[in-house]
Amino acid sequence: RFGQYIAASGFAPKGLEKPEAIVVAIQFGLELGITPMQALQNIAVINGRPTLYGDAMLALCMASLAFDHSVFAETFEGKPYEDSYCAICRVGRCGCNAPVERRFSVAQAKKAGLWGKAGPWQMFPDRMLQMRARAWALRDAFPDILRGAMAAEEAVAHDPPAVLRAV
């Protein structure tokens, strides 16, 4: 019934219009420790797969006792928009000696066919580089918390066969 109420309210985001999809998104969120309304706002279904927005991934990890807040940093390096320009995300787990640092550069975005792509890659290139570096760092450092969830910002770049190959 709750899924029906959400669907009828018009509050459900695109991709979660059906009560069944709403219930599945809520269940996925509950398994990650997200409340039902947070799940509706932070889960995107892309190519039939539930994903998390990058800010939600970070929030889940930061809420964990395993997250070492003293290590976390997000920066940029290089001259803006040259191939070597990159976003850097550094995270750490309490009790682990080495932090996890991941980078995503303009050159990598070009190689993946993302750079200059219509939509967020044209409108917010810095943010998209940041989200890709963040997703990689968080997924590598906190697989137990994210349970294999891919970042929505990352998943939109994949066509369905690419997502299947990545699984």
Side-chain angles (χ1 to χ4, degrees), residues 6-167:
I6 295 293
S9 74
F11 192 67
K14 186 178 179 182
L16 297 178
E17 295 92 351
K18 295 179 182 179
E20 297 84 359
I22 292 166
V23 170
V24 171
I26 289 171
Q27 179 62 39
F28 179 68
L30 289 171
E31 290 177 14
L32 293 171
I34 300 174
T35 64
M37 296 309 285
Q38 288 175 325
L40 290 175
Q41 293 301 304
N42 292 294
I43 293 173
V45 177
I46 299 172
N47 296 324
R49 184 175 181 181
T51 64
L52 289 170
Y53 287 109
D55 291 335
M57 291 178 86
L58 181 59
L60 279 171
C61 294
M62 288 181 109
S64 167
L65 295 176
F67 192 88
D68 186 344
H69 292 268
S70 69
V71 174
F72 176 69
E74 289 183 308
T75 57
F76 289 89
E77 183 177 277
K79 188 172 179 184
Y81 312 126
E82 288 187 356
D83 282 357
S84 62
Y85 182 64
C86 68
I88 305 163
C89 182
R90 182 182 174 109
V91 295
R93 282 188 79 108
C94 294
C96 292
N97 294 334
V100 173
E101 182 176 287
R102 299 294 179 261
R103 298 165 174 258
F104 197 76
S105 68
V106 170
Q108 289 171 296
K110 286 179 179 178
K111 186 175 182 180
L114 302 170
W115 195 252
K117 188 175 180 179
W121 279 96
Q122 276 187 350
M123 297 182 302
F124 312 107
D126 290 316
R127 183 79 170 155
M128 297 309 291
L129 292 170
Q130 177 189 15
M131 290 298 107
R132 188 58 68 100
R134 177 188 289 177
W136 286 357
L138 292 174
R139 286 174 53 208
D140 288 349
F142 301 99
D144 53 325
I145 294 168
L146 298 174
R147 305 207 185 337
M150 183 179 269
E153 296 85 356
E154 185 178 9
V156 295
H158 294 291
D159 58 356
V163 171
L164 291 175
R165 281 193 301 273
V167 172

